[in-house]
Amino acid sequence: MTALHSSFTLMGEVESPDPAEAMFSLRLLSGEVVSIAVSRTTYYEVIRNIGDEWRDRVGEPDANVVEAKIGSRSGAPDEAMWTAKRQLLKYLKPGHMVCIEGVCSSQRNVAQYYARRIVLMHSVQGLFAWEDTHWWLQQINTLFEQWLDVLFKERRDITENDFSAFYRTNLDLLGGATGDAVQESATLSRFLYGLSSAYLLTGNMRALSAARACAKHLVGAYASPTHDGECVVWKFGRVNDGRSTKEILGSLNPEDHGSFPLYEQIYVLSGLAQYYRVTQDTWVMGYIVRTVAAFERFYRDTRRDGDPCFTGQGGYFSHIDPVTMRPDSPSLDVYREGARYDNRAKKNWNSIGDHIPAYLINLLAAIDPIPVSGHECEWVKLRDRCRDMLDECVLCILDHFAPDNGSKLVNERFHKDWSPDHTWGWQQNRGIVGHNLKISWNLTRCGNYYVSRAKQANEDGDTQSSDKYHKLAERCYEFARVLGHNMEEVGVDLARGGIFDALERNPSSGMPTEFCWGSTKDFWQQEQAILAYYIMQGCTEDEAEKAKFLKLARFCTAFWSLFFVDQDNRKIHFRTDECGRTLIQGQYAQQAGHAIAGYHAFELNYLAHLYIRTFVERGKGRNDAFVLYYRPVKNSSLQSLNVLPDFFRPSDLKIVNVRINGLVVPVADPHKFQIDISQWPEDSVIMVEYLPTGRADAQAEADLRDDASEMGGLDIGFDFVSL
């Protein structure tokens, strides 16, 4: 090609800055090095969070160094170019991670990259803005406040009636109403998850007020108990036409139309489980328990005499018919919008894996160890049921999902006997990068839980169980690492950061990565990548692997922060192209919809904050503590509160401080994550402060009491949102 000029985005670490020549080199994640030129119009920024105007705190270079490197301004023949060289000297240091946007000009196979915009990841070399104290707190607070403002305007104390009248699943780009006034139960519960997580991180009472109202509306409007009261299934949605409210039982989504897809039922529990962690509202727990019972009765593949559909090979069917309540009904063979989706007696990633992050981890964190209540036997039954479900889901993933036939991607859809289904709908023999990393993230979490169970079994003298759980933990960690490395090879954008979307499992192009459609990137998949790589780097003992996963986590988080955060409208974009340009068309021209509902971004804010502060070594003297807020309701009858933030290993965290209604209370055992609240009035505000165990030396604990902030307010050492 004689001449080609195109925009580009690259992300990497600065090497060999040469101010005199207005050039520098950029080392990409792939290890390749690209030479970049700056010009008179090149400008610099420091990465911004939502609500930030300007974060540039880079110091000016020494005048003597400037003159030695590029000469004096007065002697420069081109003052504008001299300024460009001085800017390069000021901003670009070896090893500094940056993102470059510019123009690449090619002439007869010779290419030159010209930087126009250069974004640093922090004003201080070697640091990353999103690993500072309050980054994720600020992001979650801004996101939920914006969402509530859009839905409820100036209301601060939000009611169930407000949710009934004003909540909408679908909002346009600016948060306005669309022509679709449907309220979907699963998206409503995902929003409840976000509100509950916002309260956990910030203690903001508006978030809790909205969460209470949301939970009441969700249960009151969508719960559908069975005739015997033992199970609850959830209606898809409702819509008010101005005269009356129409209930919608089966799903309206094309590939699930008219059915009860299990993933929607699962995600109704996502918000309820997270809300329960905050409030210990046993009224809500009653609906959680009965929904779990519905999963076991209607979806679980357990052998049933005389019924050939139920094979007894484990796992959960993906769909049931709302009329017959069976997974093999002919009505589940769906034709919609010119495509066939045969959901009869099928199992898939969502019907197996989504149980784990959506509700099982949060539910087990809330009830294991058994709450002190006077009704311990009922809690034991629920805990054991949830443990069995977790074990089954984990073993199904380990035993059936592994990549095969040379593919780097897991199988995602199956027939009832676990043979892969490569004919379904749009999926065919294709894989979703985000699903693979979601498995990495959640198997690592489960590995942590099994390490804890092994430790407990060992303390109880049950060496057989201890050995079993240690082996299961190792299987989880190993599979997670394999997929993490696989996705680095085929799914991570090694030139720009972030991860791609849908890939052919067995490429026919002769290249390791073959796109099914475009080289696009979706917001929810970036979340899976960030959380997977941050937690895996914290849970591997191999130093080279730890460094690799940490770098991948940072490059993915940088792409999220640069291109998915909508600074103007304080929301998250759904989809970008490979370079980070926002794609706004169809369902993606929305602030909210079926697939973006106040869940993934809030989950990222919540868990990235926890993982970074727990696992990332940020340097001596840095305050690595974090705080979570709880608000047990009145009349729960519970005398204890479980406060383990996520599935961590016993050696990861300890409690260093507890405040109840502002008063410091003694911590009897810093490694026990169950707090005695029997002597405190119900509806108390409980604030728990955690510290990574590995860095909890005497000096670090002393630093927790020190309010002195570091240079430029980069790590302020307190939770500014709660003040």
Side-chain angles (χ1 to χ4, degrees), residues 46-99:
V46 173
I47 196 167
R48 295 186 293 150
N49 200 356
I50 293 181
D52 287 334
E53 292 295 327
W54 192 251
R55 290 179 63 95
D56 187 347
R57 303 295 185 272
V58 178
E60 296 296 333
D62 182 86
N64 293 326
V65 174
V66 171
E67 184 158 359
K69 294 283 188 179
I70 61 174
S72 65
R73 181 194 296 267
S74 60
D78 184 338
E79 186 172 334
M81 197 63 209
W82 182 91
T83 300
K85 294 176 180 179
R86 183 184 182 280
Q87 292 289 85
L88 189 155
L89 178 64
K90 172 183 175 179
Y91 284 102
L92 300 185
K93 307 291 193 300
H96 212 147
M97 180 179 170
V98 296
C99 179

Side-chain angles (χ1 to χ4, degrees), residues 104-169:
C104 177
S105 295
S106 299
Q107 294 278 352
R108 295 181 177 86
N109 297 323
V110 177
Q112 178 63 64
Y113 292 87
Y114 297 93
R116 293 294 176 260
R117 179 187 183 221
I118 300 178
V119 185
L120 283 67
M121 302 304 139
H122 203 290
S123 292
V124 177
Q125 184 179 354
L127 300 182
F128 303 87
W130 58 84
E131 292 177 4
D132 279 346
T133 306
H134 55 280
W135 180 275
W136 299 106
L137 306 181
Q138 177 179 329
Q139 190 165 126
I140 200 171
N141 197 76
T142 303
L143 287 174
F144 98 78
E145 287 278 17
Q146 169 69 7
W147 214 306
L148 293 182
D149 286 349
V150 161
L151 289 171
F152 307 117
K153 310 306 178 187
E154 71 279 358
R155 293 171 179 82
R156 305 300 297 180
D157 190 10
I158 298 166
T159 67
E160 181 181 358
N161 288 340
D162 291 330
F163 266 90
S164 179
F166 302 117
Y167 176 77
R168 294 290 182 272
T169 290

